[in-house]
Amino acid sequence: MVHHTMRFSEFGLTTLKEVPADAEIVSHKLMLRAGLIRRLASGLFTWMPLGLRVLRKVEAVVREEMDRAGALELLMPAVQPAELWQESGRWDKYGPLLLRMTDRHDRDYCFGPTHEEVITDVARRELRSYKQLPVNFYQIQTKFRDEIRPRFGVMRSREFIMKDAYSFDLDQSGLEASYARMHTAYTAIFERLGLKFRVVDADSGEIGGSRSQEFHVLADSGEDAIAYSDEDNYASNIETAATSPDGIETAPPTADMEKIPTPGVKTIEALSQFLNVTAEQTLKTLIVEGTDGPVALVLRGDHELNAVKAQKIAGVASPLTMASPESVVKATGCGPGFVGPVGLEIPVFYDHATIGMSDSVCGGNEKDMHYTGVNFGRDIETPETVDLRNVMAGDRTPGGRGTLSIARGIEVGHIFQLGTKYSEAMDATVQNPDGRNQVMSMGCYGIGITRIVGAAIEQNHDDAGIIWPAPLAPFDVVLVPINMHRSDDVKAAAEALYTELKEKGYEVLLDDRNARPGVMFADAELIGIPHRLVISDRGLAAGELEYRHRSDAESRNLKREEALKLL
RNA sequence: CGGGGCGUAGCGCAGCCUGGUAGCGCACCACAAUGGGGUUGUGGGGGUCGGAAGUUCGAAUCUUCUCGCCCCGACCA
């Protein structure tokens, strides 16, 4: 990296005391206040000089570790022809997230939200023989996804920078090796960046494929919930964290089933209040679209439906769609709020946990009516159960050896074993040792470069501002000369130190503004430079510099040499 | 896409109800004082009040349409 001026007065940096009202989370506010980014339009940001320096740091670490893992950097076009997407079948399936456009010849294109199609096209043209495998191509590039609701600054923007890598192997076992190499590289990357993170099992979603894991930076503001257990090393995105039917037993009935009036009681909360029972004693029945008319999903009242699990069940429509109030009435004879499984004529799917319930309360399939004392084996035939709910803190792990905790995370990396989904659709083959054409096995591996910057701030800040982990800091050290514009001694000392540190290879920001000390201190803390050196007449007289690390509570007066040793 | 809200100077906001010279704070420019935690004073520059149409002698203000943005939800990697 070539470093030009590092004088505050020439750096074009404006910090803000007030933030635009739409900034919701800490990282967004601080990035705006510290002048890292400026908003252009919804989900579009300009990276200002200070922010760009941080971005480049992230890229550098990612690039180094990818290279070390043997991946090859290339750069694909951001704009992609529709034909490739039609070939893979995603032109129609990807939906409104795909930004489409037309050129002057009326040909269709999209701005790439990801590059499976393009890389598969590259691979089928370039790769002929199994001897060329394995290969892993990567790029660091701008993507665009037309998010329904961009928010949280760079955490969920529409345009963003991503490192995406794609591996090609002859077969599944090769793919597994490539995947393992990326797992190792990713772990190294996030460790080097100084972030607290966790690797979790994940749903492979739209991209398709089998095995997939996500790398999450832990932060309370994270959009994802992750379930983990330290006892048995289990960790999964809550979307895929499985619940088990094991060990659930049904207590015998102690009450008769009774239909009672419950006027206006439509929610589980209202129901438990009205009847003075806990939510655990109620059955929640949701009507969703099925592949052949509406179906019912039944959960314990305090449990949450997991959409990802539900839409994978045969008979349930994917994506999961709640039935309209009209079709609920048609299917059950009553409106939402009073639906229950007793005597329902449509297919019903029960969550595992429901089987452990007895003397339950559920909707009466009649307006303003509920059943109490409902029991399996007597009022409802004991059903086969399925996994429909989100796990909760305190649940057993699937292995049964641990207890789950729930944390929030920001997804910054995702690795997939795609298998042959794209290579088969696009006929990407090589000759195998037998001289036959064989479809290659692919993996894909993404890292949200821009998102990492936001995630790092979510995890590292205080009331005064950002606290950069050293590898991400835009500068190593900030020089704060007191009264530099009145004291020739301070000015000379500051300039000398600036030059000396630069020559030693430090990235040093000299605050040469004619500003009051308080302003300089506040800005230095806001932008989060790890090391601060204060130069003053007072200190000079004693041959001292004042040193403070951004995360220290107090500053220290040290001999010049001592202070420089701390950098 | 459904529900709610907001568009007035670069940013944060008041003014609108009850029509009559467009305001405040921050930021910016100048001068002065101050000089180790966002200091103070004085002076200044900057706004077709999102846009269009209408009502009116007169519209930031009332009416209609329209565009943009934000929040909640649905959706989505």
PDB file of all heavy atoms in Angstrom, chain B residues 44-55:
ATOM      1  P     G B  44     -24.368  40.172   9.720  1.00  0.00           P
ATOM      2  OP1   G B  44     -25.013  41.194   8.864  1.00  0.00           O
ATOM      3  OP2   G B  44     -25.173  39.429  10.712  1.00  0.00           O
ATOM      4  O5'   G B  44     -23.619  39.102   8.806  1.00  0.00           O
ATOM      5  C5'   G B  44     -22.990  39.521   7.617  1.00  0.00           C
ATOM      6  C4'   G B  44     -22.245  38.379   6.968  1.00  0.00           C
ATOM      7  O4'   G B  44     -21.546  37.591   7.953  1.00  0.00           O
ATOM      8  C3'   G B  44     -23.067  37.346   6.235  1.00  0.00           C
ATOM      9  O3'   G B  44     -23.509  37.827   4.984  1.00  0.00           O
ATOM     10  C2'   G B  44     -22.058  36.221   6.085  1.00  0.00           C
ATOM     11  O2'   G B  44     -21.124  36.497   5.057  1.00  0.00           O
ATOM     12  C1'   G B  44     -21.321  36.292   7.421  1.00  0.00           C
ATOM     13  N9    G B  44     -21.795  35.275   8.370  1.00  0.00           N
ATOM     14  C8    G B  44     -22.503  35.477   9.532  1.00  0.00           C
ATOM     15  N7    G B  44     -22.757  34.369  10.181  1.00  0.00           N
ATOM     16  C5    G B  44     -22.175  33.379   9.398  1.00  0.00           C
ATOM     17  C6    G B  44     -22.117  31.977   9.582  1.00  0.00           C
ATOM     18  O6    G B  44     -22.580  31.306  10.511  1.00  0.00           O
ATOM     19  N1    G B  44     -21.434  31.336   8.540  1.00  0.00           N
ATOM     20  C2    G B  44     -20.878  31.975   7.465  1.00  0.00           C
ATOM     21  N2    G B  44     -20.276  31.207   6.573  1.00  0.00           N
ATOM     22  N3    G B  44     -20.923  33.287   7.285  1.00  0.00           N
ATOM     23  C4    G B  44     -21.579  33.916   8.281  1.00  0.00           C
ATOM     24  P     G B  45     -24.850  37.343   4.339  1.00  0.00           P
ATOM     25  OP1   G B  45     -25.264  38.305   3.299  1.00  0.00           O
ATOM     26  OP2   G B  45     -25.780  36.965   5.420  1.00  0.00           O
ATOM     27  O5'   G B  45     -24.350  36.018   3.612  1.00  0.00           O
ATOM     28  C5'   G B  45     -23.385  36.102   2.574  1.00  0.00           C
ATOM     29  C4'   G B  45     -22.939  34.716   2.168  1.00  0.00           C
ATOM     30  O4'   G B  45     -22.278  34.080   3.282  1.00  0.00           O
ATOM     31  C3'   G B  45     -24.069  33.752   1.834  1.00  0.00           C
ATOM     32  O3'   G B  45     -24.520  33.929   0.495  1.00  0.00           O
ATOM     33  C2'   G B  45     -23.414  32.392   2.048  1.00  0.00           C
ATOM     34  O2'   G B  45     -22.582  32.050   0.966  1.00  0.00           O
ATOM     35  C1'   G B  45     -22.541  32.692   3.273  1.00  0.00           C
ATOM     36  N9    G B  45     -23.208  32.322   4.529  1.00  0.00           N
ATOM     37  C8    G B  45     -23.836  33.158   5.414  1.00  0.00           C
ATOM     38  N7    G B  45     -24.319  32.540   6.456  1.00  0.00           N
ATOM     39  C5    G B  45     -23.985  31.210   6.244  1.00  0.00           C
ATOM     40  C6    G B  45     -24.234  30.064   7.038  1.00  0.00           C
ATOM     41  O6    G B  45     -24.817  29.990   8.122  1.00  0.00           O
ATOM     42  N1    G B  45     -23.726  28.902   6.432  1.00  0.00           N
ATOM     43  C2    G B  45     -23.067  28.864   5.243  1.00  0.00           C
ATOM     44  N2    G B  45     -22.668  27.667   4.835  1.00  0.00           N
ATOM     45  N3    G B  45     -22.814  29.935   4.497  1.00  0.00           N
ATOM     46  C4    G B  45     -23.299  31.058   5.060  1.00  0.00           C
ATOM     47  P     G B  46     -26.057  33.827   0.183  1.00  0.00           P
ATOM     48  OP1   G B  46     -26.242  34.164  -1.238  1.00  0.00           O
ATOM     49  OP2   G B  46     -26.829  34.543   1.217  1.00  0.00           O
ATOM     50  O5'   G B  46     -26.321  32.268   0.353  1.00  0.00           O
ATOM     51  C5'   G B  46     -25.661  31.333  -0.509  1.00  0.00           C
ATOM     52  C4'   G B  46     -25.826  29.939   0.030  1.00  0.00           C
ATOM     53  O4'   G B  46     -25.262  29.873   1.355  1.00  0.00           O
ATOM     54  C3'   G B  46     -27.272  29.503   0.228  1.00  0.00           C
ATOM     55  O3'   G B  46     -27.812  29.009  -0.984  1.00  0.00           O
ATOM     56  C2'   G B  46     -27.131  28.404   1.283  1.00  0.00           C
ATOM     57  O2'   G B  46     -26.711  27.193   0.695  1.00  0.00           O
ATOM     58  C1'   G B  46     -25.985  28.953   2.143  1.00  0.00           C
ATOM     59  N9    G B  46     -26.491  29.644   3.337  1.00  0.00           N
ATOM     60  C8    G B  46     -26.812  30.971   3.461  1.00  0.00           C
ATOM     61  N7    G B  46     -27.230  31.282   4.659  1.00  0.00           N
ATOM     62  C5    G B  46     -27.180  30.078   5.356  1.00  0.00           C
ATOM     63  C6    G B  46     -27.518  29.785   6.708  1.00  0.00           C
ATOM     64  O6    G B  46     -27.947  30.568   7.574  1.00  0.00           O
ATOM     65  N1    G B  46     -27.317  28.443   6.998  1.00  0.00           N
ATOM     66  C2    G B  46     -26.856  27.502   6.115  1.00  0.00           C
ATOM     67  N2    G B  46     -26.733  26.267   6.582  1.00  0.00           N
ATOM     68  N3    G B  46     -26.529  27.764   4.859  1.00  0.00           N
ATOM     69  C4    G B  46     -26.717  29.062   4.556  1.00  0.00           C
ATOM     70  P     G B  47     -29.169  29.565  -1.524  1.00  0.00           P
ATOM     71  OP1   G B  47     -29.193  29.262  -2.955  1.00  0.00           O
ATOM     72  OP2   G B  47     -29.382  30.939  -1.038  1.00  0.00           O
ATOM     73  O5'   G B  47     -30.219  28.638  -0.802  1.00  0.00           O
ATOM     74  C5'   G B  47     -30.110  27.204  -0.868  1.00  0.00           C
ATOM     75  C4'   G B  47     -31.348  26.590  -0.297  1.00  0.00           C
ATOM     76  O4'   G B  47     -31.499  27.013   1.075  1.00  0.00           O
ATOM     77  C3'   G B  47     -32.647  27.014  -0.971  1.00  0.00           C
ATOM     78  O3'   G B  47     -32.893  26.216  -2.105  1.00  0.00           O
ATOM     79  C2'   G B  47     -33.693  26.748   0.123  1.00  0.00           C
ATOM     80  O2'   G B  47     -34.128  25.406   0.108  1.00  0.00           O
ATOM     81  C1'   G B  47     -32.878  26.965   1.405  1.00  0.00           C
ATOM     82  N9    G B  47     -33.222  28.188   2.142  1.00  0.00           N
ATOM     83  C8    G B  47     -33.236  29.489   1.731  1.00  0.00           C
ATOM     84  N7    G B  47     -33.587  30.322   2.674  1.00  0.00           N
ATOM     85  C5    G B  47     -33.814  29.506   3.772  1.00  0.00           C
ATOM     86  C6    G B  47     -34.220  29.820   5.097  1.00  0.00           C
ATOM     87  O6    G B  47     -34.458  30.927   5.582  1.00  0.00           O
ATOM     88  N1    G B  47     -34.323  28.688   5.889  1.00  0.00           N
ATOM     89  C2    G B  47     -34.074  27.400   5.462  1.00  0.00           C
ATOM     90  N2    G B  47     -34.230  26.437   6.362  1.00  0.00           N
ATOM     91  N3    G B  47     -33.698  27.094   4.239  1.00  0.00           N
ATOM     92  C4    G B  47     -33.597  28.188   3.461  1.00  0.00           C
ATOM     93  P     U B  48     -33.260  26.959  -3.443  1.00  0.00           P
ATOM     94  OP1   U B  48     -33.547  26.010  -4.521  1.00  0.00           O
ATOM     95  OP2   U B  48     -32.219  27.974  -3.612  1.00  0.00           O
ATOM     96  O5'   U B  48     -34.599  27.736  -3.057  1.00  0.00           O
ATOM     97  C5'   U B  48     -35.786  27.049  -2.902  1.00  0.00           C
ATOM     98  C4'   U B  48     -36.750  27.525  -3.975  1.00  0.00           C
ATOM     99  O4'   U B  48     -36.166  27.374  -5.291  1.00  0.00           O
ATOM    100  C3'   U B  48     -38.013  26.684  -4.047  1.00  0.00           C
ATOM    101  O3'   U B  48     -38.950  27.083  -3.051  1.00  0.00           O
ATOM    102  C2'   U B  48     -38.497  26.972  -5.460  1.00  0.00           C
ATOM    103  O2'   U B  48     -39.114  28.231  -5.551  1.00  0.00           O
ATOM    104  C1'   U B  48     -37.162  27.016  -6.213  1.00  0.00           C
ATOM    105  N1    U B  48     -36.840  25.692  -6.785  1.00  0.00           N
ATOM    106  C2    U B  48     -37.134  25.470  -8.112  1.00  0.00           C
ATOM    107  O2    U B  48     -37.640  26.312  -8.832  1.00  0.00           O
ATOM    108  N3    U B  48     -36.822  24.224  -8.577  1.00  0.00           N
ATOM    109  C4    U B  48     -36.251  23.185  -7.870  1.00  0.00           C
ATOM    110  O4    U B  48     -36.035  22.127  -8.430  1.00  0.00           O
ATOM    111  C5    U B  48     -35.980  23.492  -6.496  1.00  0.00           C
ATOM    112  C6    U B  48     -36.274  24.703  -6.011  1.00  0.00           C
ATOM    113  P     C B  49     -40.129  26.231  -2.590  1.00  0.00           P
ATOM    114  OP1   C B  49     -40.436  25.243  -3.630  1.00  0.00           O
ATOM    115  OP2   C B  49     -41.132  27.216  -2.172  1.00  0.00           O
ATOM    116  O5'   C B  49     -39.659  25.479  -1.273  1.00  0.00           O
ATOM    117  C5'   C B  49     -38.837  24.308  -1.337  1.00  0.00           C
ATOM    118  C4'   C B  49     -38.884  23.646   0.009  1.00  0.00           C
ATOM    119  O4'   C B  49     -38.760  24.650   1.040  1.00  0.00           O
ATOM    120  C3'   C B  49     -40.193  22.908   0.306  1.00  0.00           C
ATOM    121  O3'   C B  49     -39.889  21.790   1.116  1.00  0.00           O
ATOM    122  C2'   C B  49     -40.987  23.919   1.107  1.00  0.00           C
ATOM    123  O2'   C B  49     -41.935  23.345   1.957  1.00  0.00           O
ATOM    124  C1'   C B  49     -39.871  24.588   1.915  1.00  0.00           C
ATOM    125  N1    C B  49     -40.198  25.950   2.341  1.00  0.00           N
ATOM    126  C2    C B  49     -40.479  26.176   3.704  1.00  0.00           C
ATOM    127  O2    C B  49     -40.436  25.212   4.492  1.00  0.00           O
ATOM    128  N3    C B  49     -40.765  27.425   4.117  1.00  0.00           N
ATOM    129  C4    C B  49     -40.787  28.411   3.240  1.00  0.00           C
ATOM    130  N4    C B  49     -41.072  29.615   3.701  1.00  0.00           N
ATOM    131  C5    C B  49     -40.516  28.204   1.861  1.00  0.00           C
ATOM    132  C6    C B  49     -40.224  26.971   1.457  1.00  0.00           C
ATOM    133  P     G B  50     -40.742  20.460   1.077  1.00  0.00           P
ATOM    134  OP1   G B  50     -42.168  20.672   0.810  1.00  0.00           O
ATOM    135  OP2   G B  50     -40.292  19.904   2.361  1.00  0.00           O
ATOM    136  O5'   G B  50     -40.153  19.573  -0.106  1.00  0.00           O
ATOM    137  C5'   G B  50     -38.772  19.664  -0.433  1.00  0.00           C
ATOM    138  C4'   G B  50     -38.520  18.871  -1.676  1.00  0.00           C
ATOM    139  O4'   G B  50     -38.811  17.470  -1.416  1.00  0.00           O
ATOM    140  C3'   G B  50     -39.407  19.225  -2.869  1.00  0.00           C
ATOM    141  O3'   G B  50     -38.926  20.339  -3.582  1.00  0.00           O
ATOM    142  C2'   G B  50     -39.353  17.936  -3.689  1.00  0.00           C
ATOM    143  O2'   G B  50     -38.133  17.837  -4.383  1.00  0.00           O
ATOM    144  C1'   G B  50     -39.382  16.886  -2.572  1.00  0.00           C
ATOM    145  N9    G B  50     -40.746  16.457  -2.252  1.00  0.00           N
ATOM    146  C8    G B  50     -41.408  16.589  -1.051  1.00  0.00           C
ATOM    147  N7    G B  50     -42.625  16.116  -1.079  1.00  0.00           N
ATOM    148  C5    G B  50     -42.770  15.638  -2.382  1.00  0.00           C
ATOM    149  C6    G B  50     -43.880  15.011  -3.008  1.00  0.00           C
ATOM    150  O6    G B  50     -44.984  14.741  -2.534  1.00  0.00           O
ATOM    151  N1    G B  50     -43.606  14.694  -4.324  1.00  0.00           N
ATOM    152  C2    G B  50     -42.424  14.945  -4.966  1.00  0.00           C
ATOM    153  N2    G B  50     -42.362  14.573  -6.242  1.00  0.00           N
ATOM    154  N3    G B  50     -41.383  15.534  -4.400  1.00  0.00           N
ATOM    155  C4    G B  50     -41.628  15.846  -3.114  1.00  0.00           C
ATOM    156  P     G B  51     -39.961  21.322  -4.273  1.00  0.00           P
ATOM    157  OP1   G B  51     -39.183  22.446  -4.848  1.00  0.00           O
ATOM    158  OP2   G B  51     -41.051  21.596  -3.317  1.00  0.00           O
ATOM    159  O5'   G B  51     -40.551  20.450  -5.469  1.00  0.00           O
ATOM    160  C5'   G B  51     -39.728  20.089  -6.571  1.00  0.00           C
ATOM    161  C4'   G B  51     -40.521  19.287  -7.564  1.00  0.00           C
ATOM    162  O4'   G B  51     -40.994  18.071  -6.919  1.00  0.00           O
ATOM    163  C3'   G B  51     -41.802  19.945  -8.056  1.00  0.00           C
ATOM    164  O3'   G B  51     -41.557  20.851  -9.122  1.00  0.00           O
ATOM    165  C2'   G B  51     -42.619  18.743  -8.509  1.00  0.00           C
ATOM    166  O2'   G B  51     -42.162  18.249  -9.754  1.00  0.00           O
ATOM    167  C1'   G B  51     -42.272  17.734  -7.419  1.00  0.00           C
ATOM    168  N9    G B  51     -43.236  17.770  -6.317  1.00  0.00           N
ATOM    169  C8    G B  51     -43.038  18.267  -5.049  1.00  0.00           C
ATOM    170  N7    G B  51     -44.081  18.133  -4.276  1.00  0.00           N
ATOM    171  C5    G B  51     -45.035  17.512  -5.089  1.00  0.00           C
ATOM    172  C6    G B  51     -46.361  17.115  -4.801  1.00  0.00           C
ATOM    173  O6    G B  51     -46.994  17.232  -3.749  1.00  0.00           O
ATOM    174  N1    G B  51     -46.965  16.527  -5.907  1.00  0.00           N
ATOM    175  C2    G B  51     -46.365  16.341  -7.128  1.00  0.00           C
ATOM    176  N2    G B  51     -47.108  15.762  -8.060  1.00  0.00           N
ATOM    177  N3    G B  51     -45.124  16.710  -7.405  1.00  0.00           N
ATOM    178  C4    G B  51     -44.525  17.282  -6.342  1.00  0.00           C
ATOM    179  P     A B  52     -42.531  22.083  -9.313  1.00  0.00           P
ATOM    180  OP1   A B  52     -41.939  22.911 -10.380  1.00  0.00           O
ATOM    181  OP2   A B  52     -42.858  22.660  -7.995  1.00  0.00           O
ATOM    182  O5'   A B  52     -43.850  21.383  -9.886  1.00  0.00           O
ATOM    183  C5'   A B  52     -43.839  20.765 -11.167  1.00  0.00           C
ATOM    184  C4'   A B  52     -45.182  20.131 -11.452  1.00  0.00           C
ATOM    185  O4'   A B  52     -45.447  19.094 -10.466  1.00  0.00           O
ATOM    186  C3'   A B  52     -46.389  21.059 -11.331  1.00  0.00           C
ATOM    187  O3'   A B  52     -46.581  21.857 -12.482  1.00  0.00           O
ATOM    188  C2'   A B  52     -47.522  20.059 -11.119  1.00  0.00           C
ATOM    189  O2'   A B  52     -47.881  19.427 -12.328  1.00  0.00           O
ATOM    190  C1'   A B  52     -46.843  19.036 -10.207  1.00  0.00           C
ATOM    191  N9    A B  52     -47.074  19.337  -8.794  1.00  0.00           N
ATOM    192  C8    A B  52     -46.239  19.966  -7.905  1.00  0.00           C
ATOM    193  N7    A B  52     -46.742  20.076  -6.701  1.00  0.00           N
ATOM    194  C5    A B  52     -47.985  19.474  -6.798  1.00  0.00           C
ATOM    195  C6    A B  52     -49.012  19.259  -5.862  1.00  0.00           C
ATOM    196  N6    A B  52     -48.944  19.644  -4.584  1.00  0.00           N
ATOM    197  N1    A B  52     -50.128  18.621  -6.277  1.00  0.00           N
ATOM    198  C2    A B  52     -50.202  18.240  -7.564  1.00  0.00           C
ATOM    199  N3    A B  52     -49.299  18.380  -8.542  1.00  0.00           N
ATOM    200  C4    A B  52     -48.206  19.011  -8.084  1.00  0.00           C
ATOM    201  P     A B  53     -47.279  23.294 -12.307  1.00  0.00           P
ATOM    202  OP1   A B  53     -47.200  23.954 -13.631  1.00  0.00           O
ATOM    203  OP2   A B  53     -46.736  23.957 -11.107  1.00  0.00           O
ATOM    204  O5'   A B  53     -48.804  22.897 -12.006  1.00  0.00           O
ATOM    205  C5'   A B  53     -49.610  22.346 -13.046  1.00  0.00           C
ATOM    206  C4'   A B  53     -50.886  21.803 -12.475  1.00  0.00           C
ATOM    207  O4'   A B  53     -50.570  20.887 -11.389  1.00  0.00           O
ATOM    208  C3'   A B  53     -51.817  22.809 -11.815  1.00  0.00           C
ATOM    209  O3'   A B  53     -52.588  23.555 -12.747  1.00  0.00           O
ATOM    210  C2'   A B  53     -52.673  21.894 -10.941  1.00  0.00           C
ATOM    211  O2'   A B  53     -53.623  21.190 -11.714  1.00  0.00           O
ATOM    212  C1'   A B  53     -51.613  20.921 -10.428  1.00  0.00           C
ATOM    213  N9    A B  53     -51.073  21.381  -9.137  1.00  0.00           N
ATOM    214  C8    A B  53     -49.891  22.012  -8.878  1.00  0.00           C
ATOM    215  N7    A B  53     -49.713  22.304  -7.605  1.00  0.00           N
ATOM    216  C5    A B  53     -50.868  21.835  -6.991  1.00  0.00           C
ATOM    217  C6    A B  53     -51.309  21.848  -5.654  1.00  0.00           C
ATOM    218  N6    A B  53     -50.606  22.354  -4.656  1.00  0.00           N
ATOM    219  N1    A B  53     -52.512  21.291  -5.386  1.00  0.00           N
ATOM    220  C2    A B  53     -53.226  20.770  -6.399  1.00  0.00           C
ATOM    221  N3    A B  53     -52.912  20.717  -7.701  1.00  0.00           N
ATOM    222  C4    A B  53     -51.718  21.267  -7.932  1.00  0.00           C
ATOM    223  P     G B  54     -52.990  25.063 -12.317  1.00  0.00           P
ATOM    224  OP1   G B  54     -53.736  25.626 -13.470  1.00  0.00           O
ATOM    225  OP2   G B  54     -51.800  25.759 -11.792  1.00  0.00           O
ATOM    226  O5'   G B  54     -54.017  24.853 -11.110  1.00  0.00           O
ATOM    227  C5'   G B  54     -55.284  24.268 -11.365  1.00  0.00           C
ATOM    228  C4'   G B  54     -55.983  23.939 -10.072  1.00  0.00           C
ATOM    229  O4'   G B  54     -55.087  23.248  -9.178  1.00  0.00           O
ATOM    230  C3'   G B  54     -56.450  25.129  -9.227  1.00  0.00           C
ATOM    231  O3'   G B  54     -57.639  25.705  -9.730  1.00  0.00           O
ATOM    232  C2'   G B  54     -56.663  24.452  -7.877  1.00  0.00           C
ATOM    233  O2'   G B  54     -57.875  23.712  -7.843  1.00  0.00           O
ATOM    234  C1'   G B  54     -55.494  23.468  -7.837  1.00  0.00           C
ATOM    235  N9    G B  54     -54.361  23.999  -7.061  1.00  0.00           N
ATOM    236  C8    G B  54     -53.150  24.452  -7.530  1.00  0.00           C
ATOM    237  N7    G B  54     -52.362  24.856  -6.564  1.00  0.00           N
ATOM    238  C5    G B  54     -53.099  24.665  -5.404  1.00  0.00           C
ATOM    239  C6    G B  54     -52.774  24.926  -4.045  1.00  0.00           C
ATOM    240  O6    G B  54     -51.731  25.398  -3.582  1.00  0.00           O
ATOM    241  N1    G B  54     -53.819  24.594  -3.189  1.00  0.00           N
ATOM    242  C2    G B  54     -55.024  24.068  -3.591  1.00  0.00           C
ATOM    243  N2    G B  54     -55.904  23.814  -2.634  1.00  0.00           N
ATOM    244  N3    G B  54     -55.339  23.818  -4.854  1.00  0.00           N
ATOM    245  C4    G B  54     -54.331  24.138  -5.696  1.00  0.00           C
ATOM    246  P     U B  55     -57.863  27.261  -9.522  1.00  0.00           P
ATOM    247  OP1   U B  55     -59.068  27.626 -10.297  1.00  0.00           O
ATOM    248  OP2   U B  55     -56.579  27.980  -9.740  1.00  0.00           O
ATOM    249  O5'   U B  55     -58.223  27.359  -7.983  1.00  0.00           O
ATOM    250  C5'   U B  55     -59.416  26.759  -7.481  1.00  0.00           C
ATOM    251  C4'   U B  55     -59.521  26.981  -5.996  1.00  0.00           C
ATOM    252  O4'   U B  55     -58.457  26.253  -5.322  1.00  0.00           O
ATOM    253  C3'   U B  55     -59.328  28.424  -5.548  1.00  0.00           C
ATOM    254  O3'   U B  55     -60.513  29.190  -5.688  1.00  0.00           O
ATOM    255  C2'   U B  55     -58.915  28.238  -4.097  1.00  0.00           C
ATOM    256  O2'   U B  55     -60.030  27.972  -3.272  1.00  0.00           O
ATOM    257  C1'   U B  55     -58.050  26.982  -4.178  1.00  0.00           C
ATOM    258  N1    U B  55     -56.614  27.316  -4.327  1.00  0.00           N
ATOM    259  C2    U B  55     -55.894  27.595  -3.173  1.00  0.00           C
ATOM    260  O2    U B  55     -56.408  27.597  -2.075  1.00  0.00           O
ATOM    261  N3    U B  55     -54.580  27.912  -3.371  1.00  0.00           N
ATOM    262  C4    U B  55     -53.906  27.948  -4.571  1.00  0.00           C
ATOM    263  O4    U B  55     -52.711  28.236  -4.582  1.00  0.00           O
ATOM    264  C5    U B  55     -54.707  27.642  -5.712  1.00  0.00           C
ATOM    265  C6    U B  55     -56.000  27.344  -5.565  1.00  0.00           C
TER     266        U B  55
END
